[in-house]
Amino acid sequence: FFSCTFLCDLTLIAPTMCRDHNTATNGGPCSSSLRFHLRALSLIICMSVACGLPTSCVKENYYADMPAVDDTSMSVAEHREAIRKIITGHKVFPYTHSTKTDCWDILKALDEDPSNTDSVLAIYAQAPRLKTAQDPAPDGWNREHVWPKSWGVFDTGADTTDVLSLRAADANVNSARSNRYFDECTATDCELGHVEAPLTLKREGLWTPPTAVKGDLARSIFYMALRYDGDEPFTEDLELSEVGNITAYRFPVLSTLVQWHTDDPPDAAEIARNEKVCTDYQGNRNPFIDYPGLVDKLYANGVPPPTLQATGKTVLAAGDVALIMVNGDQPDSWALVALVDIGPKVMIAVTDYPYVNGALDTSAPGGMVLFHTPASGMPAGTVVKWEMADYSLSTFGTKGSFAMVAGGDKILVFHYTSVDSNDMPVPATYLYGMLYGTSNTGWGSIGLSELPPGLTAGTSAVDMGTAQNAVYIGPREGSQPSLLQAIGEPAAWQTNNDAPETLDLSTPWDVKVGTATPTPTRFFFAAPSPSPSPGPGPMS
């Protein structure tokens, strides 16, 4: 996978009538946990993966506006979604890094053997392993994905390094568990899991852990199924099921996990680990540890909770999004706004490759920034903002070396549904285009780009002349055609050649969709991650 170093901010705007999750107790406008902040008719969601820890991880503050477990005023699906939004978004650490805090370092702290600070306590062996004996050291330990990677976690995305689903494990025992699901088993119909883990059992596809940690592991699985629904790039919709389906990422056995949760409730050590994850590292919590009754609420009678369905366009056309900011001076940045309701998991690329001779020239200097819309969709008025800096968030993927040249560059936005033999996205529809910079001499000029098919100068493409930095400051209320006309007029932009422009995020967009009433908006921020982006992985 391509590794990059970018800092990304993402802003989404969507109609909703959700409850307010207050800002004051959760770290302000770029909190490490996802919260709703009601401001007049706007809802601001801060989905972090790293803009610092919340001001407080105290349980009562963290869940201040969570619906009560016994709340009957909303459906199970609505209850599930409300809780998911509280825990979603967390500080993402690198899986392995030579200088920064990584998952090795975190597990050494979280899973430290209480009787020997030089060791970690291996989850299945229930025995110490020296912290210095990281795999592949003899008798070493490694990082166990409680929700196995091949069941939908894979090697990229926030789920890969989520320490609420990572445990220190004996390396040999971890290999023996492999991607087996959890279920009960007896010595008469199973064999020993591994000689170094005498309290484990296994058979084809199945793994039974030690009784002392069955509840801990079940709650980790419940957390993953709630936390990840494919909203974020390089993650999948993880769900629980009575009968497993590895290709659909349905992990079994739900009834067994519910029983383990009941039989082995959270103890002091598990509660302390959950607390430390929030205060010292990720800034989020496992609600099934904090509120064990949620399992009965969300999985009544062993049935997985339904999910809320998203609507919107899945086949996009020119002008369905528009660029509203570009900064060629460092830190490079751009922003776009959705002018129609866009459906779930629609893949969009922003590129500085030129369109020449009837095709996107990926052999030229340039690159792409990739993202897809959340599983909940991306309503009209959503603003997506990207900024280059030292690090990247899993919200965006990259191809090539995307960089905005102050002296003159082109920015093209396109929708894609497939990739070529080099794993490069293939444009299905060009959505918007922009030229800018001191050497800009217009569409079709040498070193810039032709205007791709379907785009029209002045509506779905804008030429900012020689400006190096520009931000749209015109009307934000109106129909799609009227807003495209306004955005396509350079006089509606503020420009300069000395420093980056700043995008106003305080004024919401009110895009009239058909005869619908004005749409309240929300801003969605994805804060910077302290780890290099893994690059484009499997798109959900």
Side-chain angles (χ1 to χ4, degrees), residues 93-122:
F93 289 84
Y95 196 56
T96 302
H97 202 285
S98 59
T99 59
K100 294 178 171 55
T101 299
D102 62 15
C103 290
W104 287 113
D105 302 316
I106 297 172
L107 291 185
K108 287 175 184 178
L110 294 179
D111 296 337
E112 184 176 270
D113 182 358
S115 62
N116 183 355
T117 57
D118 292 330
S119 300
V120 292
L121 188 63

Side-chain angles (χ1 to χ4, degrees), residues 1-6 390-393 396-398 400 531-536:
F1 295 109
F2 180 78
S3 178
C4 63
T5 53
F6 293 106
D390 293 332
Y391 305 119
S392 177
L393 174 70
F396 295 91
T398 59
S531 60
S533 168

Side-chain angles (χ1 to χ4, degrees), residues 249-296:
Y249 318 127
R250 276 28 180 181
F251 192 76
V253 173
L254 176 56
S255 60
T256 297
L257 295 170
V258 170
Q259 192 61 53
W260 287 0
H261 166 74
T262 301
D263 294 344
D264 177 30
D267 59 16
E270 185 182 1
I271 292 169
R273 188 185 196 274
N274 191 40
E275 197 78 38
K276 194 174 184 68
V277 168
C278 190
T279 58
D280 293 7
Y281 300 108
Q282 293 187 172
N284 70 335
R285 306 178 66 101
N286 183 338
F288 299 102
I289 296 173
D290 294 323
Y291 296 98
L294 285 175
V295 171
D296 289 337

